[in-house]
Amino acid sequence: MGPTVVHSTLLFDGQTVHENATVVFDSNTGKITSVSTGSSNNLPSGATAIDGSAHTLLPGLIESHAHVHGLHLSPGADQFDILRSPLRSGVTTVCDMHSDPATVNKWREEIAADLAKAKSSNGTVSLSDLKSSLYGATIEGGWPKPIVLGHDPSDELKAFVSTWPKVTVESAAEFVKDHKAQGADYIKLMQENCCSLALPTGEIPVATLDLQTAVVEAAHAAGLPVVGHALSVDMTEVILQAGADGLTHTFIDQPPPQSIIDLYKQTGAFVIPTLTVLSSLTAELQETREKFAEIASRRKIVDGFTKQNMVETISMKDPAAKLEYAFQTVVKLKQEGIDVVAGTDAVAGLKGTAIGPSLWMELELYVEKCGMSILEALNCATALPAKRFGFGDRGIVAAGKRADLVLVKGNVTESLQALWEGEGIVGVWKEGIRAA
């Protein structure tokens, strides 16, 4: 191990494109040493040199909404691909948005062991890095109970769900304090009345504005960002009024009202659209799902079970809900200067998703359905999430940042599909160490 040099490459640094770039990084420190353009001299002796001609180098992608638990898998199913598949897809950081602390800690231990083994044996890494909210701020009987129990309402799973937090206004500060002590990177709110879903509105208890405000105030006092789940306009309004930093979905129950656009602007909140999971929820874009399932399988990123799972759908929408409303909202928010951060709500075993390949689909939808430029879409999955979540060490290719990098054959800045078509991704590094 030691220094690596990628030279003569097209570089997207997370914000800007640079031609004929040279990036030097070190696996011992895990950091980028230098970034330059033009002819490079005085490169480290003994460095591994990689000719980046006809390639694009970009920051490791950030999946800003996923879940790393295995609750949607059959008991005893292999869960190793939960963080292996994203790394093979160029996703070096996965943001978990509601998993139990035991599962998150298990992954953290495996990630550390994976990295230590690679360093000691001059080997490769296999697992993406992980950020997590740990448990969301769930309430008694509230969301996401229906979606978790929907596929397997076993007594064992019901007992597990009963152990989720039951946050109240009075316990909000203690909830945040406990989560920060356990290593939560941000706090997740749950705001769901089921009006966009194939469930009776009011089927489950709904968190109050007072409760969500109490959680947000406690989290901000503790220095933690706050994001919130909502699938409808009225629930989105509650999250925004509570002062959250971002929404972990956009809504599908109606076209975007100007009042919500204005509220986004007033609060400065961002949105993680999760168009991939919304398309599964509404059972739309079947051909797109099939395309990415086939690509992921052909590249040996997913197994047979996951390939089949990717082409199935949740199909759980209210009759009035439409994916088109989500597209319209993303277009409008982007036009109004609201930050759009890439995330999919992918979960192992959740129909229509796969952590890693689903982010490719998400980015394509931003370009094809929401009018974003390719550079805007790439920014949504690199520098922008790092900025909005406060991950100051990643998301940008610059000296001193983590050497989380992806090398792609072709010009990704002109053809987003180069990420997955042709030779596609030919190299991934996490903290300067090559991925398996």
Side-chain angles (χ1 to χ4, degrees):
M1 291 199 175
T4 299
V5 178
V6 180
H7 64 86
S8 311
T9 190
L10 182 70
L11 170 66
F12 174 70
D13 66 8
Q15 298 173 313
T16 308
V17 178
H18 308 271
E19 296 183 356
N20 193 23
T22 297
V23 177
V24 182
F25 54 96
D26 195 316
S27 60
N28 293 318
T29 64
K31 304 291 185 183
I32 296 170
T33 305
S34 66
V35 179
S36 59
T37 56
S39 300
S40 298
N41 300 310
N42 302 319
L43 298 178
S45 61
T48 299
I50 297 174
D51 186 352
S53 302
H55 290 72
T56 307
L57 187 69
L58 59 154
L61 304 178
I62 299 174
E63 161 62 270
S64 292
H65 186 162
H67 300 266
V68 296
H69 59 68
L71 298 180
H72 294 282
L73 295 172
S74 300
D78 183 12
Q79 298 185 24
F80 186 71
D81 280 344
I82 288 175
L83 287 181
R84 181 175 62 175
S85 291
L87 192 61
R88 291 180 169 182
S89 306
V91 177
T92 53
T93 301
V94 171
C95 295
D96 170 72
M97 286 292 172
H98 175 75
S99 290
D100 60 285
T103 293
V104 173
N105 287 333
K106 180 204 73 169
W107 280 120
R108 286 172 172 167
E109 290 171 0
E110 292 195 17
I111 291 166
D114 180 54
L115 190 64
K117 181 179 179 181
K119 287 184 175 181
S120 65
S121 64
N122 198 29
T124 57
V125 289
S126 300
L127 304 174
S128 296
D129 198 27
L130 177 64
K131 300 288 188 179
S132 181
S133 65
L134 305 179
Y135 278 131
T138 51
I139 64 172
E140 177 76 56
W143 190 263
K145 179 180 178 180
I147 195 74
V148 171
L149 293 181
H151 78 293
D152 177 28
S154 64
D155 290 341
E156 182 180 4
L157 194 52
K158 287 179 180 178
F160 177 73
V161 169
S162 72
T163 67
W164 289 355
K166 301 171 181 62
V167 184
T168 64
V169 173
E170 293 75 20
S171 66
E174 188 62 30
F175 168 82
V176 170
K177 179 181 178 182
D178 176 68
H179 268 47
K180 184 173 183 177
Q182 292 188 71
D185 297 289
Y186 39 82
I187 297 296
K188 168 81 177 291
L189 308 178
M190 299 293 188
Q191 191 68 37
E192 183 58 65
N193 63 2
C194 300
C195 80
S196 294
L197 305 173
L199 295 168
T201 300
E203 170 90 346
I204 59 174
V206 181
T208 65
L209 176 58
D210 285 345
L211 170 59
Q212 305 295 40
T213 302
V215 176
V216 170
E217 290 178 349
H220 285 171
L224 294 175
V226 184
V227 293
H229 163 103
L231 291 173
S232 60
V233 167
D234 57 350
M235 296 292 94
T236 298
E237 184 175 4
V238 172
I239 295 294
L240 291 171
Q241 288 180 340
D245 300 283
L247 273 294
T248 62
H249 301 280
T250 193
F251 46 83
I252 54 172
D253 61 321
Q254 59 180 284
Q258 189 59 44
S259 59
I260 284 292
I261 303 300
D262 291 342
L263 197 51
Y264 264 105
K265 292 171 68 175
Q266 291 167 19
T267 61
F270 63 91
V271 64
I272 306 171
T274 65
L275 300 179
T276 302
V277 83
L278 295 181
S279 73
S280 178
L281 186 66
T282 63
E284 299 175 72
L285 302 183
Q286 183 61 26
E287 288 186 4
T288 306
R289 261 188 302 280
E290 291 175 356
K291 178 180 76 172
F292 282 100
E294 176 60 33
I295 291 169
S297 175
R298 186 172 68 248
R299 294 192 172 281
K300 302 187 185 309
I301 292 171
V302 300
D303 58 16
F305 166 81
T306 303
K307 179 185 178 183
Q308 179 60 34
N309 189 72
M310 288 179 72
V311 304
E312 297 180 5
T313 60
I314 301 171
S315 301
M316 193 180 169
K317 80 176 186 73
D318 179 84
K322 295 180 180 180
L323 184 62
E324 177 61 28
Y325 297 150
F327 297 154
Q328 293 173 11
T329 303
V330 173
V331 170
K332 186 66 174 175
L333 289 173
K334 195 74 175 65
Q335 289 174 344
E336 295 291 337
I338 304 304
D339 286 339
V340 178
V341 171
T344 66
D345 197 13
V347 194
L350 182 65
K351 296 183 184 301
T353 73
I355 308 177
S358 284
L359 191 60
W360 295 346
M361 177 175 167
E362 187 81 14
L363 295 179
E364 181 172 89
L365 294 178
Y366 293 169
V367 175
E368 300 296 329
K369 301 293 186 180
C370 302
M372 286 192 197
S373 70
I374 294 172
L375 295 185
E376 286 173 333
L378 292 173
N379 177 249
C380 291
T382 54
L384 193 53
K387 175 184 175 183
R388 294 307 308 246
F389 279 101
F391 305 154
D393 61 344
R394 66 196 72 196
I396 295 284
V397 180
K401 300 294 185 181
R402 275 174 58 120
D404 292 354
L405 300 163
V406 178
L407 187 64
V408 182
K409 182 64 180 294
N411 188 339
V412 180
T413 69
E414 293 184 353
S415 174
L416 181 66
Q417 289 72 25
L419 274 171
W420 55 82
E421 292 180 351
E423 290 187 43
I425 295 172
V426 297
V428 179
W429 293 263
K430 191 183 81 167
E431 293 195 55
I433 301 175
R434 193 138 194 172

